[in-house]
Amino acid sequence: MSIPNPLLTEGAAPLYRQVADHLIQRITSGQLAPGDALPPEDSLCREFGVSRITVRKAVEELLDRHLIVRRRGVGTFVNDPRRATKAVTLIGVIDEVLPRNQVIVVDEALTILPAKLRELFGLGTQKWKCVRAVNHVAPNEPLDYAHFYFADHIAGGIGAAEVAGPLPPIKYLQTHLNVRIDHADQLVEPMAATAEIAARLDIAKGTPVLRAIRIYYDAQSRPVEIVDAVYHPERYRYAATLYPKAGAGN
C-alpha cells in the first residue's frame, strides 16, 4: 500500500497515530497554542491525505490525552494544560439527581448565560430566563443554592412559580409543556463559596462546596434547561456505584 502523504511513513505506526503525533508536536511546540481551534476535519483529511475515520481516531487520541477539548456547537480547541483535569464519565438516571424539599425563590430575570456556561456548552449570547432559588431540607437549613436557566423557546411556559412548585422544573417541562428530554450532561466540581453563595447557604465565605452544572437536551438535541447549583458541604454528598467494564477481565 502506498502512503498517501509525505508527512506519513510507510510501515511505521498506524496512520491515525502518525496524524495524532503530528498534531501533538504542533501543540507541544506552540504552533497550536491553548485556545486555538483545531483545523476542521475536512482540512486535516486534505492535509494528510487520509480518511475521515483516520482523522477522527487521531482526534480521539488527543482527547484521551486531554490535549484538546470539544465545545458543543463551536468546535475543538487546544486545551490549556494549567486547566487540564481528570474526567470520569458516569451514566445514571436523571431522577436520581433531583433533590426536592422546600424551595424558596430569590428572583427571576432574563439574562445572558455566564461566560463559564457559554464556554462549557458552546452556547451564544442569547437571553435565557433565570430563576434563582434556595432548596431547604428543613426551615433555615439550606441544602443548595441554584440558578435555573430556561431556553427562550420554552421560557414562556415556566418561571418562578413553577420552580417553587411541587415538581422539579425538568419534570414540569415534561408533564406540563410536553418537552421530551433525551439526555442530560452533568459536571460536578469543587469550588470555594463566594460571598453570595455563603450568604445563601449560611456558611463562611471560602468554604469548599460542591458545584453541579447540568444541561438538559430535548429530542431535537436542543438545550432546554441548565441548572447551576452549589451544595451545603454538611448536607449533601455525591456517591456512585461503579462496575467493571463489560468484557473486562477480573
Side-chain angles (χ1 to χ4, degrees):
M1 180 186 74
S2 62
I3 292 297
N5 189 288
L7 290 173
L8 309 179
T9 304
E10 187 171 6
L15 292 181
Y16 81 88
R17 180 67 55 77
Q18 294 187 56
V19 172
D21 287 344
H22 277 287
L23 295 175
I24 291 169
Q25 192 278 331
R26 295 175 191 178
I27 292 172
T28 56
S29 69
Q31 184 179 348
L32 285 172
D36 285 352
L38 201 69
E41 189 176 274
D42 57 350
S43 176
L44 292 173
C45 289
R46 289 193 301 270
E47 179 182 357
F48 291 100
V50 295
S51 68
R52 289 183 179 272
I53 293 176
T54 298
V55 166
R56 287 170 186 167
K57 289 187 69 175
V59 170
E60 289 296 329
E61 183 93 358
L62 271 63
L63 285 166
D64 288 344
R65 299 190 189 191
H66 307 290
L67 293 172
I68 58 175
V69 59
R70 281 194 179 123
R71 297 176 188 165
R72 183 185 292 269
V74 178
T76 304
F77 299 84
V78 177
N79 206 1
D80 184 342
R82 295 169 299 179
R83 299 175 60 188
T85 59
K86 173 64 176 176
V88 177
T89 300
L90 304 176
I91 298 175
V93 180
I94 288 175
D95 296 60
E96 295 175 353
V97 293
L98 300 178
R100 197 71 176 167
N101 302 99
Q102 302 171 22
V103 177
I104 299 177
V105 168
V106 176
D107 58 21
E108 173 185 313
L110 288 176
T111 184
I112 296 172
L113 291 175
K116 179 180 176 68
L117 299 185
R118 298 199 309 270
E119 177 182 347
L120 186 62
F121 300 120
L123 299 171
T125 57
Q126 64 270 32
K127 289 190 174 182
W128 292 56
K129 179 180 286 186
C130 175
V131 178
R132 298 190 300 163
V134 182
N135 189 26
H136 296 74
V137 294
N140 301 315
E141 294 185 10
L143 171 66
D144 65 82
Y145 171 46
H147 290 64
F148 297 90
Y149 297 95
F150 302 104
D152 179 68
H153 66 280
I154 54 95
I158 189 168
E162 289 71 33
V163 170
L167 288 176
I170 196 64
K171 287 295 184 182
Y172 185 90
L173 292 180
Q174 292 175 295
T175 58
H176 290 69
L177 301 185
N178 298 316
V179 176
R180 180 185 166 195
I181 300 301
D182 180 78
H183 72 283
D185 294 331
Q186 177 169 269
L187 168 70
V188 179
E189 62 183 7
M191 67 173 293
T194 63
E196 180 188 6
I197 291 170
R200 300 296 181 191
L201 295 182
D202 193 22
I203 57 177
K205 179 182 177 182
T207 300
V209 293
L210 273 183
R211 180 185 190 182
I213 303 173
R214 187 163 57 252
I215 183 169
Y216 296 93
Y217 295 93
D218 66 13
Q220 288 76 47
S221 297
R222 297 177 300 178
V224 294
E225 180 188 348
I226 298 173
V227 182
D228 187 354
V230 287
Y231 293 87
H232 193 288
E234 297 177 0
R235 298 183 183 127
Y236 183 84
R237 66 179 181 176
Y238 193 87
T241 301
L242 306 177
Y243 297 94
K245 184 177 181 180
N250 293 328

